[in-house]
Amino acid sequence: MKTRVINFIKRFAAVALFAPAVAMAAGASVHLDKAPVSTEPAALQHGAKLFVNYCLNCHSASFMRYNQLENIGLTETEIRDNLMFTGERVGDLMKIAMRPAESKVWFGAAPPDLTLIARQRASGDGSGADWLYTYLRQFYRDTERPTGWNNVVFENVGMPHVFWQLQGEQVAKVSQNADGSKKVELSLAKPGTLSVQEYDKAVADLVSFLVWMGEPVAEKRKSIGAIVLIFLAGMFVLSYALKKNFWKDIH
């Protein structure tokens, strides 16, 4: 009996150890472009504007309060006048009125909360920022989809291309790779109001804001971490010098 229990524990430990690797290997690998994430206030403010005007209609950011945007250089008046449209208080959470059950009927799945999306989308293919940056630039027209749009990174996604007026309309040319996998090449069939470079910059600013929103204290954390490491290095030098001075007479 004891032997069976030990063997069961060993098998369970092996499964627990290798299951994440197997799950990652089973997922489809995608090429992700490197996101040019910025911490500049101007980029974050532009990203916040895009988020509120294009994303906050369907996606909430229920772990973020409007007044936290003061940390990216906006004043309370600017937040209230430019980023709040339905009479919320500046201390309210960034929630939406749409109910999850209704959105599931309309889109096939309830749009996720975006507060932590840049952290949730990290994978072996790249960071969450890389995933978002690539995803938002690879929508294309697909008349077979209910929304009229599809995406290379997230095939058959229920989300429509909310930035199509800015980016324009892309079309896909589908072929096969040597290994039999599907290859999708995009080309711009109808330009939008922004050039390709301007649209990429706008998406980069939005992604930068989503990254900031996932951890607003990231820069402060890194600064504190650097100070702590410098302090520990100094303490090591002093401790080592003290140790040598203490033991020199004994030796």
Side-chain angles (χ1 to χ4, degrees):
M1 178 66 179
K2 184 178 180 181
T3 303
R4 288 200 298 269
V5 172
I6 293 174
N7 289 335
F8 172 78
I9 293 174
K10 288 181 178 179
R11 288 195 297 270
F12 180 80
V15 171
L17 180 64
F18 293 107
V22 173
M24 289 181 65
S29 179
V30 295
H31 169 73
L32 300 180
D33 298 327
K34 184 65 178 177
V37 177
S38 173
T39 58
E40 292 296 320
L44 296 176
Q45 290 170 18
H46 185 218
K49 178 182 177 182
L50 291 170
F51 177 78
V52 170
N53 284 280
Y54 289 92
C55 306
L56 199 56
N57 298 312
C58 300
H59 296 274
S60 60
S62 58
F63 300 101
M64 175 63 58
R65 297 185 185 275
Y66 284 97
N67 57 9
Q68 290 297 307
L69 301 182
E70 294 179 19
N71 294 325
I72 60 174
L74 295 172
T75 65
E76 183 175 320
T77 301
E78 289 172 334
I79 295 170
R80 185 182 293 108
D81 292 346
N82 301 318
L83 301 177
M84 302 176 69
F85 309 115
T86 58
E88 311 99 320
R89 293 173 297 181
V90 74
D92 286 347
L93 295 169
M94 300 177 73
K95 293 184 175 181
I96 59 174
M98 184 170 60
R99 298 172 182 173
E102 295 174 344
S103 61
K104 187 174 182 179
V105 173
W106 297 333
F107 300 108
D113 187 284
L114 296 184
T115 315
L116 302 174
I117 193 66
R119 300 172 68 177
Q120 294 168 336
R121 283 294 178 181
S123 68
D125 295 314
S127 68
D130 296 340
W131 190 94
L132 291 167
Y133 180 68
T134 308
Y135 167 73
L136 291 172
R137 294 161 50 248
Q138 296 209 4
F139 276 93
Y140 62 91
R141 274 292 183 191
D142 186 347
T143 56
E144 296 182 1
R145 297 295 300 154
T147 62
W149 298 96
N150 210 329
N151 193 282
V152 176
V153 176
F154 193 153
E155 190 174 6
N156 297 330
V157 65
M159 173 180 163
H161 187 19
V162 295
F163 297 109
W164 72 270
Q165 290 179 310
L166 302 180
Q167 184 186 26
E169 297 184 23
Q170 296 188 121
V171 294
K173 179 182 178 182
V174 181
S175 58
Q176 280 193 335
N177 292 313
D179 59 0
S181 60
K182 185 169 69 173
K183 179 181 180 182
V184 181
E185 297 181 47
L186 302 182
S187 60
L188 189 63
K190 183 178 179 181
T193 57
L194 301 180
S195 67
V196 174
Q197 293 76 19
E198 289 171 338
Y199 180 73
D200 288 352
K201 177 62 168 60
V203 171
D205 290 346
L206 174 59
V207 171
S208 297
F209 175 74
L210 292 173
V211 171
W212 172 85
M213 188 164 57
E215 190 179 3
V217 297
E219 293 302 311
K220 185 177 181 181
R221 171 178 59 78
K222 293 175 183 177
S223 300
I224 293 174
I227 293 172
V228 170
L229 290 175
I230 293 171
F231 172 78
L232 292 176
M235 286 296 296
F236 173 79
V237 172
L238 292 175
S239 299
Y240 184 73
L242 180 62
K243 176 257 183 189
K244 289 190 66 176
N245 186 65
F246 182 79
W247 284 97
K248 68 179 181 180
D249 295 331
I250 298 176
H251 291 303

